[in-house]
Amino acid sequence: MSFIKLKTALPGPKGLAALERRKNALPAGLAKSTEVVVEKAEGALVWDVDGNQLLDFAGGIGMINVGHRNENVVNAIKEQLDKYIHTCSLVTTMEPYLDLAELLNGLTPGNFPKKTLLANSGSEAVENAVNIAKYYTKRNAVLCFEGAYHGRTLLTLSLTSKYALFKKGFGSYVSDIYRIPAPNTYRGIEGMSENEYVAYCIKKLEEAFISQVDPESLAAIIIEPVQGEGGFLPIPPAYLHKLREVCDKYGIVFIADEIQCGAGRTGKFFAVEHSGVVPDIIVSAKSIGAGMPISAVTGKAEIMDAPHLGGIGGTYGGSPVACVAAIEAIKIIKSEGFLQRVNEVGEIIRTTLENWKGKYPLIGDVRGIGAMRLVEFVKDRESKEPDAEATLEIIKDAVAHGLIMIRAGLFSNCIRLLPPIVITDEQLTEGLQVLEDAIARAQAKRSAVLV
């Protein structure tokens, strides 16, 4: 049984009309990874306006771990809509906000009292986390990492890497932000073992505290335990432990950005749990809301309590409609069965990608944790020169054959696989075959040129 069912070329006539409307109505700078115009979605399936049935391997950039229109989530939203939509947490107290905060306080690592602030987006959550850390420490400096993506507000865009795509042309950024390379074991130093390379990165971190910023001036160190936009780079546990050690020594707030890698995607609720490191603050968003706009800053109570009364909050933060959706999503994600399924999906993808690596010289690396997996394309395996052109070609080919996909990586030469965890084995296998066929066609084209 095929789950991809195409009635027209992609996009079809109705899709083309909608895309023309988009061109005329929306800013040109609002990018889109595909030409798909959505009519409806359920589970791991998406239907476009022309009646084409597609498989979703992008999941709203990791936003739909529990699947499109999860029944429990939808029912909770409907029930809440019959009570009230919003009264603002700055004016009244809403129980769904309390319920979600208590749930997150209990889920995040650390045997200490915690508190949670809710907001609407990952950017807002990161901005709040950094501001709270600054208030608590009475310091201004923040250390972040190359390849990181933390958002598009002024502060979070200042923290974000990948200059040309996200930052070019937007003027001056927030001062007192220091950026150093994140460990990338695929692009490590030739001749070094992985352990030697990680030790080298730790040494460069220590040097940065001499050449770039005094650690006693740092309010926070913020890092994604698995970089998302940066190319699904798992940060080695030894490096995370070193950051924890530095933060403890100098009174720095350790912030883990779990917006993309959290919510069960790696096989644990939070990716940082794989290392055993306990952050001071964890930032959540994307899949905790199952498609609803909500984010959270969860951290040590003494840190979260630092700002003065009225110093934090916002009109829509903790929308009860979004809260009840998040509560249902989190109940599903934290269950043993769901996390087991994450690892099953991840293992199917891992073994398939490893097989591809042996067949297609275009593939330089395959990596990830759990069901957060990625393929990196290169022009040459020895030089590891990124091949962004082939990556885009493969994505366009796969989308044309009914598979929704998106790029990633500092050099835009990677394809990330973020299918909803509720995807069936049969759907997963079919989608992977579509992607492999696209890779095979791209490889054949390049091999023919070489001949």
Side-chain angles (χ1 to χ4, degrees):
M1 175 183 177
S2 175
F3 293 93
I4 294 175
K5 299 175 182 178
L6 303 182
K7 296 181 178 180
T8 71
L10 292 172
K14 292 182 180 179
L16 287 169
L19 291 170
E20 183 66 18
R21 290 172 58 203
R22 173 177 175 137
K23 185 177 79 171
N24 294 328
L26 307 186
L30 179 64
K32 61 184 186 303
S33 299
T34 74
E35 303 285 278
V36 176
V37 180
V38 178
E39 174 72 21
K40 64 177 182 176
E42 184 172 357
L45 294 172
V46 171
W47 289 263
D48 78 353
V49 290
D50 290 288
N52 296 302
Q53 183 173 304
L54 304 93
L55 279 169
D56 186 359
F57 270 29
I61 318 181
M63 185 177 62
I64 309 291
N65 288 359
V66 300
H68 293 283
R69 279 200 305 132
N70 178 276
E71 185 178 3
N72 290 356
V73 172
V74 171
N75 288 340
I77 291 171
K78 288 178 178 178
E79 185 178 336
Q80 180 59 43
L81 288 174
D82 284 335
K83 295 177 180 177
Y84 62 98
I85 294 176
H86 195 42
T87 58
C88 184
S89 60
L90 293 170
V91 180
T92 66
T93 298
M94 299 170 287
E95 287 194 292
Y97 193 130
L98 303 180
D99 294 338
L100 179 55
E102 289 168 348
L103 187 56
L104 288 168
N105 292 342
L107 268 175
T108 51
N111 295 318
F112 43 76
K114 306 185 196 82
K115 292 190 176 182
T116 291
L117 173 71
L118 300 178
N120 304 291
S121 68
S123 296
E124 279 188 67
V126 170
E127 182 126 359
N128 274 289
V130 172
N131 285 340
I132 289 168
K134 287 182 176 183
Y135 204 113
Y136 175 74
T137 60
K138 302 298 186 285
R139 304 170 184 175
N140 293 321
V142 180
L143 181 69
C144 57
F145 294 86
E146 290 178 6
Y149 180 87
H150 295 296
R152 292 181 186 263
T153 61
L154 178 60
L155 174 56
T156 59
L157 197 57
S158 302
L159 295 167
T160 289
S161 191
K162 204 167 181 178
Y163 194 94
L165 181 60
F166 298 119
K167 305 173 75 164
K168 182 176 69 174
F170 289 119
S172 300
Y173 294 100
V174 175
S175 61
D176 257 358
I177 288 177
Y178 302 87
R179 190 185 324 278
I180 64 173
N184 181 342
T185 54
Y186 172 59
R187 296 183 178 276
I189 296 175
E190 190 175 351
M192 283 188 182
S193 68
E194 185 170 316
N195 288 339
E196 289 171 336
Y197 171 68
V198 174
Y200 168 81
C201 291
I202 289 172
K203 181 181 178 184
K204 298 304 288 184
L205 169 69
E206 292 169 340
E207 288 179 5
F209 293 141
I210 298 171
S211 63
Q212 292 200 51
V213 60
D214 184 340
E216 292 184 350
S217 297
L218 283 173
I221 296 176
I222 184 167
I223 193 167
E224 300 160 274
V226 183
Q227 283 196 343
E229 180 65 35
F232 286 22
L233 296 172
I235 305 300
Y239 196 85
L240 292 173
H241 279 277
K242 178 63 178 181
L243 294 181
R244 179 71 272 176
E245 176 189 313
V246 168
C247 289
D248 288 340
K249 182 176 180 179
Y250 295 104
I252 303 164
V253 177
F254 188 137
I255 302 173
D257 180 338
E258 293 264 356
I259 291 166
Q260 187 167 163
C261 62
R265 177 52 63 173
T266 65
K268 293 184 181 294
F269 195 92
F270 293 110
V272 76
E273 294 179 74
H274 291 282
S275 69
V277 170
V278 176
D280 298 306
I281 291 176
I282 287 183
V283 177
S284 308
K286 288 189 182 286
S287 271
I288 67 164
M292 293 295 288
I294 191 163
S295 61
V297 184
T298 304
K300 286 184 175 178
E302 64 178 296
I303 297 175
M304 297 297 293
D305 278 341
H308 62 270
L309 183 63
I312 53 177
T315 303
Y316 286 103
S319 154
V321 180
C323 283
V324 296
I327 289 165
E328 292 305 317
I330 290 170
K331 285 178 182 176
I332 295 166
I333 293 167
K334 73 184 184 72
S335 70
E336 185 178 337
F338 187 88
L339 294 175
Q340 180 180 337
R341 181 58 184 162
V342 171
N343 290 315
E344 290 170 357
V345 169
E347 188 61 14
I348 292 171
I349 300 175
R350 185 194 67 78
T351 55
T352 303
L353 268 53
E354 290 288 352
N355 176 258
W356 294 354
K357 188 177 177 183
K359 293 165 65 176
Y360 306 109
L362 260 175
I363 297 176
D365 193 30
V366 296
R367 59 180 176 268
I369 303 177
M372 188 175 183
R373 297 283 167 178
L374 172 142
V375 186
E376 179 162 351
F377 297 95
V378 295
K379 294 181 179 179
D380 177 79
R381 283 187 175 177
E382 291 300 315
S383 68
K384 301 180 181 177
E385 182 183 352
D387 197 335
E389 183 181 332
T391 307
L392 188 57
E393 178 185 322
I394 290 163
I395 287 178
K396 287 183 175 180
D397 187 338
V399 173
H401 287 84
L403 186 66
I404 299 173
M405 308 219 69
I406 51 172
R407 290 192 290 177
L410 188 62
F411 307 106
S412 298
N413 67 317
C414 305
I415 292 177
R416 51 184 142 190
L417 281 72
L418 292 169
I421 304 304
V422 297
I423 195 168
T424 67
D425 287 359
E426 294 77 17
Q427 290 170 339
L428 184 58
T429 300
E430 182 177 353
L432 289 169
Q433 187 61 59
V434 170
L435 178 53
E436 181 179 4
D437 290 345
I439 294 170
R441 284 187 284 269
Q443 184 67 69
K445 184 188 296 185
R446 282 153 182 77
S447 297
V449 170
L450 291 173
V451 172

